Short mmCIF file of all heavy atoms in Angstrom, two decimals:
data_model
loop_
_atom_site.label_atom_id
_atom_site.label_comp_id
_atom_site.label_asym_id
_atom_site.label_seq_id
_atom_site.Cartn_x
_atom_site.Cartn_y
_atom_site.Cartn_z
N MET A 547 144.14 115.72 85.45
CA MET A 547 143.48 114.45 85.94
C MET A 547 144.58 113.42 86.14
O MET A 547 145.52 113.28 85.41
CB MET A 547 142.57 113.96 84.87
CG MET A 547 141.73 112.75 85.29
SD MET A 547 140.42 112.41 84.10
CE MET A 547 141.37 111.59 82.76
N ALA A 548 144.45 112.68 87.26
CA ALA A 548 145.38 111.55 87.56
C ALA A 548 144.59 110.34 87.91
O ALA A 548 143.47 110.46 88.48
CB ALA A 548 146.34 111.92 88.72
N SER A 549 145.10 109.17 87.59
CA SER A 549 144.34 107.90 87.74
C SER A 549 145.33 106.76 88.08
O SER A 549 146.50 106.84 87.69
CB SER A 549 143.56 107.61 86.49
OG SER A 549 142.60 106.59 86.73
N GLU A 550 144.76 105.77 88.64
CA GLU A 550 145.55 104.56 89.00
C GLU A 550 145.62 103.64 87.79
O GLU A 550 144.62 103.38 87.10
CB GLU A 550 144.98 103.81 90.20
CG GLU A 550 145.05 104.66 91.50
CD GLU A 550 143.97 104.25 92.49
OE1 GLU A 550 143.37 103.14 92.32
OE2 GLU A 550 143.75 105.03 93.39
N THR A 551 146.82 103.12 87.44
CA THR A 551 147.04 102.36 86.25
C THR A 551 146.29 101.05 86.30
O THR A 551 146.07 100.48 87.37
CB THR A 551 148.54 102.15 85.98
OG1 THR A 551 149.08 101.58 87.19
CG2 THR A 551 149.24 103.46 85.64
N THR A 552 145.98 100.48 85.08
CA THR A 552 145.26 99.25 84.97
C THR A 552 146.09 98.27 84.05
O THR A 552 147.14 98.64 83.56
CB THR A 552 143.89 99.44 84.39
OG1 THR A 552 144.01 99.85 82.99
CG2 THR A 552 143.08 100.50 85.16
N ALA A 553 145.49 97.12 83.74
CA ALA A 553 146.19 96.11 82.97
C ALA A 553 146.06 96.38 81.44
O ALA A 553 146.64 95.62 80.62
CB ALA A 553 145.60 94.76 83.22
N ALA A 554 145.47 97.52 81.04
CA ALA A 554 145.36 97.80 79.61
C ALA A 554 146.68 98.12 78.97
O ALA A 554 146.86 98.03 77.76
CB ALA A 554 144.39 98.96 79.41
N ALA A 555 147.68 98.53 79.77
CA ALA A 555 149.01 98.80 79.26
C ALA A 555 150.00 98.02 80.08
O ALA A 555 149.73 97.63 81.23
CB ALA A 555 149.34 100.29 79.30
N THR A 556 151.18 97.71 79.45
CA THR A 556 152.19 97.02 80.24
C THR A 556 152.74 97.87 81.35
O THR A 556 152.76 99.10 81.20
CB THR A 556 153.33 96.64 79.25
OG1 THR A 556 153.79 97.74 78.59
CG2 THR A 556 152.88 95.54 78.26
N GLY A 557 153.19 97.29 82.43
CA GLY A 557 153.70 98.04 83.53
C GLY A 557 152.98 97.70 84.83
O GLY A 557 152.11 96.86 84.86
N ALA A 558 153.41 98.31 85.90
CA ALA A 558 152.83 98.03 87.23
C ALA A 558 151.35 98.54 87.30
O ALA A 558 151.00 99.52 86.64
CB ALA A 558 153.69 98.77 88.31
N LEU A 559 150.59 97.84 88.12
CA LEU A 559 149.16 98.20 88.33
C LEU A 559 148.99 99.05 89.55
O LEU A 559 149.78 98.93 90.47
CB LEU A 559 148.32 96.91 88.45
CG LEU A 559 148.46 95.85 87.26
CD1 LEU A 559 147.53 94.70 87.52
CD2 LEU A 559 148.14 96.51 85.96
N GLY A 560 147.93 99.83 89.51
CA GLY A 560 147.59 100.61 90.71
C GLY A 560 148.48 101.75 90.97
O GLY A 560 148.43 102.31 92.09
N VAL A 561 149.28 102.19 90.02
CA VAL A 561 150.26 103.28 90.26
C VAL A 561 149.57 104.60 89.86
O VAL A 561 149.03 104.69 88.75
CB VAL A 561 151.52 103.09 89.47
CG1 VAL A 561 152.48 104.29 89.65
CG2 VAL A 561 152.21 101.84 89.93
N LEU A 562 149.57 105.61 90.69
CA LEU A 562 148.97 106.86 90.38
C LEU A 562 149.82 107.61 89.34
O LEU A 562 151.02 107.83 89.54
CB LEU A 562 148.79 107.72 91.64
CG LEU A 562 148.05 109.05 91.42
CD1 LEU A 562 146.64 108.81 91.06
CD2 LEU A 562 148.13 109.88 92.69
N ARG A 563 149.23 108.00 88.20
CA ARG A 563 149.96 108.79 87.23
C ARG A 563 149.04 109.78 86.62
O ARG A 563 147.85 109.57 86.52
CB ARG A 563 150.55 107.91 86.17
CG ARG A 563 149.58 107.34 85.14
CD ARG A 563 150.27 106.63 83.99
NE ARG A 563 149.35 106.10 82.96
CZ ARG A 563 149.73 105.53 81.86
NH1 ARG A 563 150.99 105.37 81.55
NH2 ARG A 563 148.80 105.10 81.01
N ASN A 564 149.58 110.95 86.24
CA ASN A 564 148.83 111.96 85.52
C ASN A 564 148.47 111.43 84.15
O ASN A 564 149.31 110.86 83.49
CB ASN A 564 149.63 113.27 85.40
CG ASN A 564 149.60 114.05 86.66
OD1 ASN A 564 150.42 113.87 87.59
ND2 ASN A 564 148.67 114.96 86.77
N ASP A 565 147.19 111.58 83.81
CA ASP A 565 146.70 111.10 82.50
C ASP A 565 145.77 112.19 81.95
O ASP A 565 144.56 112.06 82.00
CB ASP A 565 145.95 109.78 82.72
CG ASP A 565 145.73 109.05 81.36
OD1 ASP A 565 145.89 109.72 80.31
OD2 ASP A 565 145.31 107.90 81.39
N PRO A 566 146.30 113.29 81.38
CA PRO A 566 145.52 114.41 81.01
C PRO A 566 144.49 114.03 79.95
O PRO A 566 144.78 113.37 78.99
CB PRO A 566 146.52 115.33 80.39
CG PRO A 566 147.78 114.60 80.15
CD PRO A 566 147.76 113.52 81.20
N MET A 567 143.23 114.32 80.25
CA MET A 567 142.05 114.03 79.40
C MET A 567 142.01 112.57 78.99
O MET A 567 141.43 112.16 78.00
CB MET A 567 142.10 114.87 78.11
CG MET A 567 141.58 116.26 78.26
SD MET A 567 142.84 117.37 78.90
CE MET A 567 142.10 118.96 78.56
#
Side-chain angles (χ1 to χ4, degrees):
M547 187 171 78
S549 191
E550 295 156 15
T551 54
T552 69
T556 55
L559 303 182
V561 177
L562 184 66
R563 73 172 182 177
N564 281 87
D565 194 348
M567 280 81 165

